[in-house]
Amino acid sequence: SFVRHAAALAAVCLLAPTLRGAPPSEHAFIWAEANARLATARTPEAILEAARAYSELIDLGVRNGPLYYNLGTALLRAERYADAHRALRRAERYAGSTWETRRNLRLARAGLTDDEHAALPWYRFPLFWHFGPSMAARTAAALAGFAGIWIALAVSALGRRAAGRYLLIAALALTVLFGTSTLTSLHLEAQDRLREWKADPS
């Protein structure tokens, strides 16, 4: 099918950029082995073997964007579209939105809906500040906003009430926007951890 061939092409073309984000050195062997398997796999069974190696790293406590991206790519090539979509969303959560991740998310949605023209949900565009940056970046922005609240109160206490008021509004907006975004991601991540992909071949 179109989706299968497109996913295979995407995996071959997009695998190389993710290799730079290898997990910690003690897991390097499993990481390299999984990447080699995915790069050379030609059958669904071989592709799932690569996915199992990535899943082994997750079982060992490794969680980062490149790992979930490669796991999602492997599951996409194996036509496990729902599992691939979840893994790619987690890749985006950990590493932020990239062209590669968005492309593979579209391919996963195309497989799920049997519509090769499937697009990402419309609400991603007005919520770009939630889907674009990584969870770590959004957490940092929320903390910066919280610190800004105290700075604004200090500025107001020093007699600069107008400046303090504007600073307070900006800091509150930053805290609320990125704070709720981070809490939402933490909740979704907790749910996903309860249903980690265990390479069930059924």
Side-chain angles (χ1 to χ4, degrees):
S1 69
F2 168 85
V3 172
R4 181 172 65 253
H5 293 303
L9 177 62
V12 172
C13 294
L14 303 178
L15 177 62
T18 70
L19 302 185
R20 295 193 298 268
S25 57
E26 62 267 26
H27 306 306
F29 177 79
I30 301 173
W31 172 250
E33 181 183 38
N35 289 331
R37 286 182 177 181
L38 182 59
T40 59
R42 295 294 180 270
T43 65
E45 293 76 15
I47 294 167
L48 285 175
E49 281 300 317
R52 289 185 182 95
Y54 292 126
S55 185
E56 183 180 346
L57 284 170
I58 294 171
D59 290 340
L60 292 172
V62 179
R63 289 181 174 84
N64 58 40
L67 174 56
Y68 281 113
Y69 173 84
N70 280 18
L71 173 60
T73 299
L75 293 169
L76 181 62
R77 289 184 58 190
E79 300 185 1
R80 302 285 292 263
Y81 299 118
D83 293 324
H85 193 268
R86 280 192 292 270
L88 291 165
R89 284 190 312 177
R90 296 181 79 178
E92 195 172 60
R93 197 176 296 153
Y94 278 95
S97 182
T98 65
W99 181 87
E100 294 90 344
T101 306
R102 290 193 299 274
R103 176 191 174 105
N104 283 7
L105 277 169
R106 283 194 295 270
L107 289 171
R109 286 178 61 83
L112 283 169
T113 61
D114 200 24
D115 175 10
E116 64 183 47
H117 301 296
L120 295 179
W122 65 268
Y123 54 77
R124 289 174 58 96
F125 297 99
L127 296 177
F128 65 91
W129 47 270
H130 173 73
F131 290 99
S134 67
M135 185 165 58
R138 287 179 279 124
T139 301
L143 291 174
F146 185 72
I149 293 173
W150 294 100
I151 294 173
L153 293 174
V155 169
S156 296
L158 292 173
R160 305 289 298 273
R161 294 183 180 276
R165 186 182 307 115
Y166 290 124
L167 182 59
L168 181 61
I169 292 172
L172 284 171
L174 197 65
T175 303
V176 171
L177 281 177
F178 288 103
T180 55
S181 173
T182 299
L183 290 174
T184 298
S185 292
L186 288 172
H187 174 68
L188 292 173
E189 181 62 17
Q191 289 184 325
D192 284 335
R193 289 195 182 195
L194 290 175
R195 58 184 180 195
E196 292 276 16
W197 186 78
K198 296 299 182 183
D200 180 4
S202 60

